[in-house]
Amino acid sequence: MTDRRASMARALWHIAPGSCELREERLPLPGKDELLVRSLASGISRGTERLVHHGRVPPSQHAVMRCPLQSGEFSFPLKYGYQSVGVVEEGPADWIGRRVFVLHPHQSRFLAPIGLCAPIPDAIPDRRAVLAANMETALNAMWDAVPRLGERAMVVGAGVVGLLCTYLLARIPGVTVSVVDRDPARAALARSLGAEFFTPDAAPGEQELIIHASASEAGLRLALERAGFEARILEASWFGDAEPSLPLGAAFHQKRLQLISTQVGSVAPAMRGRRAYADRLALALSLLDDQRLDGLVGPAVPFSELPSSMPGLLDPPAGAPQPLCPIILYD
């Protein structure tokens, strides 16, 4: 007989711009191709979830920005998120007790199709495993970038995705990696991942590959300014309803620059047809086997305190530390 307690869950719902709450719900029994997962931890993707929380997802992007297991609409109310780590409580016998990563909103227990549940390697702790979706984004960016041995590469924006791109680039022999960010507190972490750190005014020029991940007009302008002849600039940010103004005259054409969009919703063309979404996620999880990446996770917040903590996590006061990937811990 199914434990009645196991069928109850609490989920975070965004109910209006800037407002969220926990709601209780009863889960149906899992179907034959579903798993009941008890959450251990979930991560907040600050850039995307800030736009969702404040109602800044443009109507034209509502369908594109839906998470696989999202409930509700961007016009509110909705539950949103895609960085959940849990343990399987019910399902086929060979899944029981296994840790899985799932693109699911913040919720204490949930049902998920087996096909959307990725087993987590034993070497990856729960807290680091929440970075799987971000690592998948960085991996897809690398497939789009096609980095070359010996290139001068620069990452603009030392957020989670930017730093994961930094980590992957620095593993390629001969690639010199620079990280640019306004916050000098990110310098030590960038250096630990194998890069040099610069503030925007000191950013080096003549870069051959630039990953822009700052989600700011100023950051993208800097990328264009510091690009060398025939450089490739990958835009890994998402601006939501903002419309940045860019200098695309004069030097942009003279230097024959390439401005390339990269987005995780589709497998990059270089690997499309060779790797399915599940293959890409499995590879992303395996790439998290490095203790240095623990520096990208935190602070930790109890799930019960998430509604009151969300504003400070998404929009810290001026002068306060800017968290990278806040993590939610479940009872």
Side-chain angles (χ1 to χ4, degrees):
M1 181 178 293
T2 300
D3 186 342
R4 291 180 61 84
R5 292 173 297 174
S7 65
M8 299 302 297
R10 288 191 301 163
L12 182 80
W13 282 82
H14 299 270
I15 57 176
S19 180
C20 57
E21 66 183 17
L22 295 180
R23 294 181 176 179
E24 192 170 89
E25 59 187 80
R26 182 178 295 276
L27 301 176
L29 295 176
K32 69 182 184 71
D33 294 322
E34 289 184 314
L35 303 177
L36 174 64
V37 179
R38 175 173 56 84
S39 294
L40 300 171
S42 60
I44 295 176
S45 181
R46 291 182 63 229
T48 303
E49 294 193 47
R50 181 188 298 113
L51 295 173
V52 171
H53 183 66
H54 291 296
R56 291 184 51 205
V57 179
S60 64
Q61 296 300 301
H62 282 190
V64 175
M65 287 302 298
R66 283 193 67 87
C67 288
L69 299 173
Q70 172 182 327
S71 294
E73 304 299 329
F74 290 105
S75 53
F76 299 104
L78 80 157
K79 54 183 178 182
Y80 191 86
Y82 49 84
Q83 295 177 281
S84 290
V85 170
V87 60
V88 177
E89 291 191 324
E90 294 185 33
D94 57 338
W95 283 91
I96 301 296
R98 298 181 73 179
R99 292 183 309 137
V100 292
F101 178 87
V102 190
L103 299 171
H104 196 281
H106 310 294
Q107 185 165 319
S108 60
R109 279 187 173 86
F110 56 85
L111 296 178
I114 290 176
L116 293 182
C117 298
I120 298 172
D122 291 340
I124 312 300
D126 298 339
R127 294 189 178 210
R128 199 186 312 148
V130 304
L131 297 172
N134 298 126
M135 179 61 90
E136 194 175 11
T137 300
L139 172 61
N140 212 55
M142 292 301 100
W143 286 348
D144 276 323
V146 193
R148 299 160 184 159
L149 294 174
E151 279 196 309
R152 293 185 295 273
M154 184 166 75
V155 177
V156 180
V160 175
V161 170
L163 288 171
L164 288 174
C165 288
T166 298
Y167 172 73
L168 295 177
L169 285 168
R171 298 175 67 169
I172 301 172
V175 173
T176 302
V177 187
S178 302
V179 173
V180 179
D181 197 274
R182 295 178 301 174
D183 186 359
R186 301 281 168 89
L189 184 53
R191 291 180 183 124
S192 76
L193 299 177
E196 287 297 315
F197 180 88
F198 299 89
T199 53
D201 58 326
E206 297 303 314
Q207 299 299 296
E208 295 156 321
L209 170 63
I210 301 178
I211 310 292
H212 177 243
S214 80
S216 71
E217 179 181 312
L220 187 49
R221 282 174 169 267
L222 180 70
L224 291 166
E225 292 169 5
R226 299 301 197 268
F229 183 69
E230 294 189 340
R232 306 177 319 282
I233 302 169
L234 263 78
E235 177 50 80
S237 305
W238 189 60
F239 288 88
D241 57 2
E243 297 182 355
S245 174
L246 301 177
L248 298 183
F252 179 79
H253 289 277
Q254 182 271 325
K255 291 196 290 185
R256 296 173 52 87
L257 301 181
Q258 297 182 54
L259 183 57
I260 305 166
S261 171
T262 180
Q263 206 273 340
V264 73
S266 300
V267 175
M271 300 299 285
R272 195 176 302 157
R274 300 183 177 92
R275 299 293 185 276
Y277 289 102
D279 299 320
R280 188 180 63 181
L281 181 53
L283 177 56
L285 279 162
S286 72
L287 291 170
L288 293 173
D289 189 8
D290 193 321
Q291 292 182 358
R292 291 179 295 169
L293 299 177
D294 290 339
L296 279 65
V297 181
V301 176
F303 180 55
S304 60
E305 299 176 11
L306 186 54
S308 60
S309 300
M310 186 67 85
L313 295 173
L314 295 180
D315 299 292
Q322 298 286 316
L324 284 166
C325 179
I327 184 170
I328 303 158
L329 301 179
Y330 295 78
D331 298 333

